């Protein structure tokens, strides 16, 4: 592996492998997971083929933002908690953003928003290697992107710098994020999803608002009522039926 630097914070369960340039940190970890220890983190300055959900591209400003992936051993979790990894990561990121005096909401299940604009996207992929299952938790966080850079993104987007006018040291921020993600992952492993449910609901974007939601081939209009105990989304359709939405192919659209 041609990484440029290794960062191993004292007492941390994780090791960060820093690269100058990679295609995609998720794709790289998928290939290399058998050669790496659990909780390895791959961070790159430049990502030429960054991937988002629904086969979209993830573009981030070289040397300005954070693009990284974490290798999480799913054997530590009940299988019913596997889909919750994305949600606890979104909560971890939102809570760390508060330390920078930004109030973040969670656009269930994968995005973190500040002032209704996307600041972070999460792509969590499950892989099996030699009968072991891993979550590859990929995170793209806009840190020091300027307004000009953000305006090139095709949806309303923001960055920590854009919101606060302060240039943020990314290595410090990355360690804060990873510490929180590890803490939440261990909590999920030990006690399940229950303690996260209320905290995620408090930050849920679009709660009780009229919305259209696309779930694979289906489209519903109605309102988000709650997060269910298993982390799925309780949605009340305008015809009065209540449905639980799973994260797979979900996106919120125009009414
Ligand atoms: C989304 O908003 O659709 C998810 C975007 C996820 C982007 C991150 S950047 C690090 C990791 N590597 C990738 O190729 N994608 C994720």
């Amino acid at each position: 592996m041609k990484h440029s630097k290794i960062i191993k914070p004292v007492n941390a369960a994780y090791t960060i492998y820093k690269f100058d340039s990679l295609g995609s940190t998720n794709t790289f970890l998928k290939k290399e997971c058998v050669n790496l220890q659990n909780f390895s983190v791959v961070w790159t300055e430049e990502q030429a083929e960054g991937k988002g959900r629904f086969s979209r591209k993830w573009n981030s400003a070289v040397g300005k933002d954070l693009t990284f992936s974490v290798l999480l051993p799913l054997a530590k979790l009940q299988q019913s908690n596997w889909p919750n990894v994305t949600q606890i990561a979104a909560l971890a990121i939102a809570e760390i953003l508060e330390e920078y005096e930004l109030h973040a909401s969670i656009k269930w299940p994968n995005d973190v928003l500040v002032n209704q604009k996307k600041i972070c996207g999460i792509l969590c992929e499950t892989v099996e290697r030699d009968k072991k299952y891993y979550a590859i938790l990929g995170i793209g966080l806009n840190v020091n992107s300027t307004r000009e850079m953000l305006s090139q993104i095709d949806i309303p987007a923001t960055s920590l710098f854009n919101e606060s006018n302060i240039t943020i040291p990314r290595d410090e921020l990355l360690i804060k994020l990873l510490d929180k993600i590890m803490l939440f992952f261990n909590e999920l492993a030990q006690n399940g999803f229950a303690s996260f449910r209320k905290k995620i609901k408090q930050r849920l974007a679009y709660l009780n608002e009229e919305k259209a939601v696309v779930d694979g081939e289906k489209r519903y209009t109605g309102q988000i009522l709650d997060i269910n105990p298993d982390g799925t989304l309780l949605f009340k359709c305008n015809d009065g039926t209540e449905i639980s939405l799973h994260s797979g192919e979900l996106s919120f659209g125009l009414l």
Side-chain angles (χ1 to χ4, degrees):
M1 295 202 307
K2 284 188 286 162
H3 49 266
S4 57
K5 194 163 140 190
I6 295 186
I7 306 166
K8 175 92 182 93
V10 187
N11 294 332
Y14 56 87
T15 305
I16 304 168
Y17 298 91
K18 179 148 189 222
F19 290 77
D20 295 328
S21 180
L22 279 179
S24 150
T25 54
N26 269 37
T27 308
F28 178 86
L29 254 189
K30 256 195 226 171
K31 280 203 208 103
E32 292 293 332
C33 59
V34 280
N35 303 317
L36 288 166
Q37 288 194 326
N38 289 337
F39 306 112
S40 290
V41 179
V42 173
W43 171 25
T44 189
E45 286 290 358
E46 179 180 23
Q47 207 176 216
E49 288 153 38
K51 300 185 297 179
R53 293 173 76 217
F54 310 112
S55 317
R56 292 198 199 110
K57 272 204 84 177
W58 179 264
N59 293 314
S60 50
V62 182
K64 294 268 181 194
D65 296 325
L66 277 175
T67 45
F68 63 99
S69 302
V70 191
L71 183 64
L72 297 169
L74 286 171
K76 297 212 183 279
L77 302 182
Q78 300 278 344
Q79 196 164 349
S80 59
N81 290 130
W82 289 9
N84 303 133
V85 172
T86 305
Q87 297 164 303
I88 62 149
L91 181 66
I93 294 156
E95 288 193 2
I96 292 299
L97 292 179
E98 299 285 344
E99 294 186 21
Y100 295 84
E101 286 168 31
L102 300 180
H103 181 66
S105 59
I106 297 172
K107 186 177 158 203
W108 189 95
N110 294 67
D111 294 346
V112 181
L113 312 179
V114 170
N115 288 327
Q116 285 100 48
K117 289 168 281 180
K118 182 160 168 170
I119 197 163
C120 176
I122 302 171
L123 178 67
C124 189
E125 301 181 89
T126 307
V127 293
E128 192 235 298
R129 297 281 183 272
D130 303 333
K131 301 216 168 73
K132 289 188 186 138
Y133 288 87
Y134 302 94
I136 310 248
L137 177 67
I139 294 174
L141 176 64
N142 300 330
V143 184
N144 292 318
S145 280
T146 59
R147 186 160 307 157
E148 200 188 5
M149 293 162 176
L150 294 162
S151 67
Q152 285 157 27
I153 301 175
D154 58 357
I155 54 164
T158 193
S159 67
L160 278 94
F161 175 78
N162 189 42
E163 296 296 324
S164 63
N165 263 324
I166 299 167
T167 303
I168 310 287
R170 287 172 304 147
D171 39 4
E172 214 175 280
L173 171 59
L174 177 62
I175 287 171
K176 281 180 198 270
L177 292 168
L178 291 169
D179 286 347
K180 189 77 133 187
I181 290 167
M182 297 299 156
L183 187 77
F184 282 6
F185 183 78
N186 288 333
E187 165 73 20
L188 185 66
Q190 271 159 36
N191 301 322
F193 185 67
S195 68
F196 296 105
R197 187 180 165 203
K198 196 167 146 208
K199 291 189 208 158
I200 293 174
K201 187 177 174 187
Q202 281 166 348
R203 292 184 182 273
L204 208 54
Y206 314 142
L207 188 66
N208 302 321
E209 285 174 27
E210 190 72 12
K211 279 281 159 195
V213 72
V214 179
D215 189 8
E217 302 281 283
K218 302 191 202 92
R219 186 176 184 278
Y220 309 97
T221 48
Q223 290 183 16
I224 299 171
L225 293 187
D226 206 350
I227 296 266
N228 290 314
D230 64 355
T232 55
L233 204 62
L234 182 64
F235 191 84
K236 184 167 186 177
C237 301
N238 286 341
D239 67 5
T241 49
E242 286 185 7
I243 53 171
S244 291
L245 297 167
H246 298 255
S247 56
E249 294 291 305
L250 198 78
S251 68
F252 292 93
L254 296 172
L255 278 176

